[in-house]
């Protein structure tokens, strides 16, 4: 089912860069939320903006969809400047914000119809698109329901459906699965994957690393308003953490021995757990496990969360 | 936000009506409930003050007390309809429902959202005053052929109170804040702006203040000439000058508050 208008796009001939930021900066009085960042988003990819709370990811995407004015630097979407062409840019972007801002005064179907009107979509066309979207997001049975009768997962899906009513080329999803149960998350992931297959460019912000790994072609890790790393999820894991992680129950003697045995390893304490990261762990971890038989140890695959915590540290934000 | 400028005149297009239409659709969903206050309240006031109090106050300026307060009720309706729509109503849409944020993510800009809200506030004032006019007519209290001109006056007067309310919405840290303008500004106007009690009976300094700063005075004066064909000498001005002042006062203050409301809301919403 064709949902988005991206495949029939206008700019296939031109450069594949759809969004470009140069020294992009956002300041609130004396607080710098986004600090001279540079990035590109290519047509058809899924880019994840990752970062702890308050890192600047939502501020960055809000500048992309022309909600927040740029303080300094340059930001273009499809070659248009966000400061001067906001109306044109907003026409080609779909936004699924983090908070629920569905219109509680209308039913599910009417929410989509009224939103379509904001894009000047004629009523018959709006209704047709709305029905298609409700089917795609498995909400067709709820079309006459009030918003407050929907579950959190249904509301998230309706927000995604609403973001697609203008058949956008770029879909911005700000923390799409926060607060959802595992079933709900997987439904949303499948739907985003299906949109990617149709050629929609997706910008995703999240602080769930499994989500980023599951969906994103590329991630930008943001902290304190700066991009501190960027790349393909699997490659970042390899580069910063290696393939495996050794997890050991915390014990002072074991920790001391580990440090002596593995001087080149990166060892971190996570609560009551010791985590050992090594660039060349093959055979070494197995050797350690045999040596410390009796101590609770296990080897697991390294993941994006390890990268994230290594790069952004463990200090609680907010 | 749309463009980078935060000053200058608001940039408005036909999108304003799309925002207006959203509120109209919500209103029509429950129109029978929304019309009820405008229908019942004037009947109660006319019964209580007109017939009740009217037995003691027999005549003002050659007309009965009930006929004297009828245009006042129309003016009060204009004030209440738009002021509360653009304080409590707009605040709920802005803060609790995040409706403005949702609309600003579409091609509509923030100025158009606020302008649409203000025009909607003025529209509600017009709807409500039309009902009150009908009630007043049913009581046989209309004695001027010009009474239908009160509808456009209600719209512009409504726009004034809508913009005034929206300025408070832009400044309100929370919804309880509206108790200040309601009890320090709206309720005093309700009582002294030539509505239930002739302003001409107050000390002349108070008359001058009411003419200088209280918008409801001017709406009530226009309502009284259009509904019952009467207007008095106020604050040392002849009846003609009271009316000329009312028209210009409303036009100028509405324009200023309209621009100010959009400016203040833009400052609040664009982050």
């Amino acid at each position: 089912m064709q949902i988005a208008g991206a495949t029939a796009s206008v700019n296939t001939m031109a450069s594949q860069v759809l969004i470009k930021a140069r020294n992009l900066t956002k300041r609130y009085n004396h607080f710098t939320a986004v600090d001279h960042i540079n990035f590109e988003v290519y047509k058809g990819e899924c880019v994840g903006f990752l970062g702890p709370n308050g890192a600047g990811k939502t501020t960055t995407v809000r500048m992309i969809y022309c909600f927040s004015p740029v303080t300094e630097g340059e930001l273009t979407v499809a070659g248009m400047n966000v400061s001067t062409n906001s109306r044109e840019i907003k026409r080609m972007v779909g936004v699924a914000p983090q908070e629920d801002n569905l219109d509680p005064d209308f039913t599910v179907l009417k929410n989509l119809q009224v939103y379509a009107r904001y894009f000047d979509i004629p009523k018959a066309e709006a209704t047709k698109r709305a029905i298609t979207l409700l089917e795609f997001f498995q909400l067709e049975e709820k079309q006459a329901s009030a918003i407050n009768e929907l579950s959190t997962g249904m509301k998230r899906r309706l927000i995604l459906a609403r973001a697609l009513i203008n058949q956008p080329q770029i879909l911005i999803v700000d923390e799409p699965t926060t607060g959802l149960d595992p079933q709900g998350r997987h439904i949303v992931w499948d739907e985003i994957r299906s949109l990617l297959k149709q050629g929609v460019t997706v910008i995703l912000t999240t602080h769930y690393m499994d989500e980023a790994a599951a969906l994103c072609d590329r991630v930008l890790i943001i902290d304190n308003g700066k991009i501190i790393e960027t790349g393909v999820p699997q490659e970042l894991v390899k580069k910063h953490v290696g393939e495996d992680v050794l997890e050991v129950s915390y014990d002072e003697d074991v920790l001391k021995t580990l440090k002596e045995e593995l001087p080149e390893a990166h060892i971190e304490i996570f609560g009551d757990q010791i985590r050992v990261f090594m660039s060349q762990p093959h055979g070494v971890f197995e050797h350690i496990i045999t040596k410390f038989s009796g101590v609770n140890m296990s080897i697991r695959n390294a993941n994006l969360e390890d990268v994230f915590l290594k790069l952004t540290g463990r200090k609680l934000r907010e | 936000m749309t463009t980078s400028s935060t000053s200058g005149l608001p940039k408005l297009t036909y999108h304003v009506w799309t925002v207006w239409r959203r509120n109209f659709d919500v209103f029509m969903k429950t129109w029978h409930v929304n019309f009820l206050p405008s229908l019942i309240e004037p009947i109660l006031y006319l019964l209580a003050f007109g017939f009740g109090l009217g037995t003691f106050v027999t005549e003002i300026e050659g007309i009965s007390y009930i006929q004297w307060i009828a245009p006042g009720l129309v003016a009060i309706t204009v004030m209440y309809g738009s002021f509360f729509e653009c304080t409590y109503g707009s605040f709920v849409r802005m803060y609790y429902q995040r409706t403005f944020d949702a609309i600003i993510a579409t091609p509509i800009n923030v100025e158009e959202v606020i302008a649409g809200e203000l025009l909607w506030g003025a529209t509600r004032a017009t709807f409500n005053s039309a009902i009150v006019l009908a009630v007043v007519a049913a009581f046989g209290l209309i004695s001027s052929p010009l009474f239908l001109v009160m509808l456009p006056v209600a719209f512009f007067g409504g726009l004034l109170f809508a913009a005034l309310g929206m300025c408070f919405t832009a400044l309100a840290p929370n919804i309880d804040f509206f108790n200040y303008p309601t009890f320090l500004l709206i309720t005093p106007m309700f009582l002294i702006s030539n509505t239930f009690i002739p302003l001409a009976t107050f000390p002349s300094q108070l008359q001058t203040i009411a003419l200088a700063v209280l918008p409801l005075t001017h709406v009530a004066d226009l309502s009284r000439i259009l509904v019952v064909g009467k207007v008095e000498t106020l604050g040392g001005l002849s009846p003609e000058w009271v009316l000329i002042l009312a028209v210009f006062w409303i036009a100028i203050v509405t324009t200023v508050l309209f621009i100010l409301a959009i400016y203040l809301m833009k400052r609040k919403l664009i982050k």
Side-chain angles (χ1 to χ4, degrees), chain A residues 60-278:
Chain A
T60 305
V61 298
R62 279 186 175 175
M63 288 191 279
I64 296 173
Y65 69 85
C66 310
F67 190 90
S68 298
V70 171
T71 311
E72 202 183 306
E74 200 192 351
L75 178 61
T76 59
V77 178
M80 295 179 286
N81 192 320
V82 292
S83 310
T84 52
N85 292 71
S86 61
R87 241 195 259 272
E88 292 85 344
I89 291 170
K90 290 197 283 183
R91 267 188 204 287
M92 57 179 284
V93 174
V95 183
Q98 180 179 140
E99 74 277 7
D100 162 24
N101 61 16
L102 293 164
D103 205 323
D105 291 324
F106 295 123
T107 63
V108 167
L109 179 64
K110 185 83 182 175
N111 255 273
L112 299 182
Q113 290 169 326
V114 170
Y115 213 69
R117 202 157 60 198
Y118 300 144
F119 288 93
D120 303 319
I121 300 165
K123 191 166 185 201
E125 172 66 17
T127 307
K128 208 176 92 190
R129 286 189 198 178
I131 301 281
T132 310
L133 284 166
L134 291 178
E135 280 167 10
F136 181 77
F137 285 99
Q138 303 169 49
L139 289 165
E140 68 270 36
E141 282 166 24
K142 294 281 170 191
Q143 57 171 278
S145 302
I147 296 304
N148 60 18
E149 293 166 25
L150 302 183
S151 69
T152 315
M154 288 173 181
K155 281 184 190 164
R156 290 307 320 174
R157 271 144 53 210
L158 184 57
I159 286 172
L160 279 170
R162 194 185 62 178
L164 293 164
I165 198 82
N166 58 324
Q167 303 190 326
Q169 292 190 52
I170 301 168
L171 176 65
I172 295 174
V173 278
D174 197 0
E175 296 186 12
T177 63
T178 301
L180 296 196
D181 59 18
Q183 287 84 350
R185 298 184 76 197
H186 281 277
I187 291 175
V188 168
W189 289 359
D190 287 344
E191 282 156 351
I192 291 175
R193 280 196 199 100
S194 161
L195 293 167
L196 283 164
K197 273 193 198 129
Q198 296 181 21
V200 183
T201 305
V202 176
I203 293 173
L204 176 93
T205 78
T206 185
H207 40 226
Y208 295 127
M209 296 306 125
D210 53 339
E211 183 162 284
L215 295 172
C216 297
D217 302 309
R218 224 152 47 82
V219 295
L220 306 167
I221 299 181
I222 303 185
D223 198 17
N224 298 318
K226 288 185 177 358
I227 295 177
I228 54 173
E229 182 60 292
T230 161
V232 176
Q234 294 85 335
E235 287 172 10
L236 289 181
V237 175
K238 241 179 220 170
K239 177 178 163 191
H240 291 282
V241 192
E243 281 166 27
D244 297 324
V245 181
L246 179 69
E247 292 183 335
V248 186
S249 297
Y250 186 82
D251 182 296
E252 223 154 293
D253 295 334
V254 176
L255 179 64
K256 213 173 133 197
T257 323
L258 281 171
K259 279 182 177 163
E260 284 163 8
E261 290 268 332
L262 307 167
E264 72 280 29
H266 176 74
I267 298 176
E268 279 198 34
I269 318 292
F270 284 75
D272 58 354
Q273 200 180 53
I274 303 165
R275 287 185 193 168
V276 186
F277 304 94
M278 279 186 79

Side-chain angles (χ1 to χ4, degrees), chain B residues 69-79 122-134 136 142 144-159 161 195 215-230 243 246-247 250:
Chain B
I69 63 166
L73 292 176
V74 178
I76 286 164
T77 304
V78 169
M79 172 173 79
T123 307
R124 272 214 78 165
T126 312
F127 284 173
N128 292 359
S129 53
I131 294 167
V132 176
L133 273 175
V136 168
I142 289 180
S144 160
L146 290 173
F147 74 97
L148 283 178
V149 181
M150 191 51 209
L151 293 177
V153 170
F155 185 85
F156 287 103
L159 198 57
F161 287 110
T195 47
L216 187 61
T217 310
H218 300 292
V219 179
D221 292 345
L222 288 177
S223 180
R224 194 155 289 112
I225 188 82
L226 293 168
V227 175
V228 296
K230 286 271 173 200
L243 293 178
V247 170
I250 290 173

